[in-house]
């Protein structure tokens, strides 16, 4: 049974930093890409960042590029999202997601939420002005 458990959200001020964690179980973590998405009330889930299996190549939404860093520790089956210089518009529920394909090679599809078949429960990040 696959489980993704996020942690690390909270209430911070603009300009502060947070680190989110997502612990995975139930699959061979190192052979799957992982991603972070976020969602605010009334809006569709939005891609934030992704990291491939293997070399751990990364990709980011333009809105977070240069401020957020995704990383993974395959020994701990955990993916992280380091968020710096947070802005009020970063306020959302953040979800980690597990790729539906093992050892994927078509990386260009990783920004599509339909490419992920397991999701965490979400962790709230609130950034005050």
């Amino acid at each position: 049974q696959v489980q993704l458990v996020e942690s690390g959200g909270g209430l911070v001020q603009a300009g502060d930093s947070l680190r989110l964690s997502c612990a995975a179980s139930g699959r061979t973590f190192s052979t799957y890409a992982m991603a972070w998405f976020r969602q605010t009330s009334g809006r569709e889930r939005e891609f934030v960042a992704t990291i491939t299996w293997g070399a751990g190549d990364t990709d980011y939404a333009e809105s977070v590029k240069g401020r957020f860093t995704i990383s993974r520790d395959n020994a701990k089956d955990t993916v992280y999202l380091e968020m710096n210089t947070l802005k009020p518009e970063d306020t959302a529920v953040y979800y980690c997601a597990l790729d539906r394909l093992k050892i994927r090679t078509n990386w260009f599809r990783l920004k599509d939420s339909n490419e992920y078949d397991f999701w965490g429960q979400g962790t709230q990040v609130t950034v005050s002005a």
Side-chain angles (χ1 to χ4, degrees):
Q1 182 180 354
V2 175
Q3 267 196 314
L4 302 175
V5 180
E6 298 116 335
S7 60
L11 172 63
V12 297
Q13 293 185 326
D16 285 351
S17 299
L18 274 178
R19 189 173 85 153
L20 306 183
S21 301
C22 173
S25 61
R27 274 188 183 170
T28 310
F29 178 78
S30 62
T31 59
Y32 290 86
M34 297 290 295
W36 287 95
F37 287 76
R38 66 187 182 187
Q39 189 170 25
T40 54
S41 180
R43 300 185 66 176
E44 289 190 3
R45 201 164 287 188
E46 172 191 25
F47 168 76
V48 175
T50 187
I51 186 166
T52 63
W53 64 276
D57 294 330
T58 58
D59 197 8
Y60 299 90
E62 285 298 321
S63 59
V64 307
K65 205 170 284 187
R67 300 187 297 121
F68 290 12
T69 302
I70 188 172
S71 61
R72 64 190 299 159
D73 184 339
N74 289 334
K76 295 182 179 180
D77 291 351
T78 300
V79 64
Y80 304 97
L81 185 68
E82 183 76 35
M83 304 185 294
N84 297 316
T85 319
L86 282 161
K87 303 176 181 180
E89 52 263 43
D90 294 319
T91 295
V93 177
Y94 284 71
Y95 298 89
C96 67
L98 180 64
D99 193 353
R100 64 180 182 83
L101 294 181
K102 185 176 181 178
I103 316 181
R104 174 189 292 269
T105 56
N106 54 344
W107 310 123
F108 67 93
R109 297 186 66 86
L110 284 175
K111 293 184 178 181
D112 184 351
S113 61
N114 293 314
E115 296 299 314
Y116 300 87
D117 58 354
F118 286 97
W119 297 79
Q121 82 284 0
T123 186
Q124 177 71 46
V125 172
T126 303
V127 184
S128 63

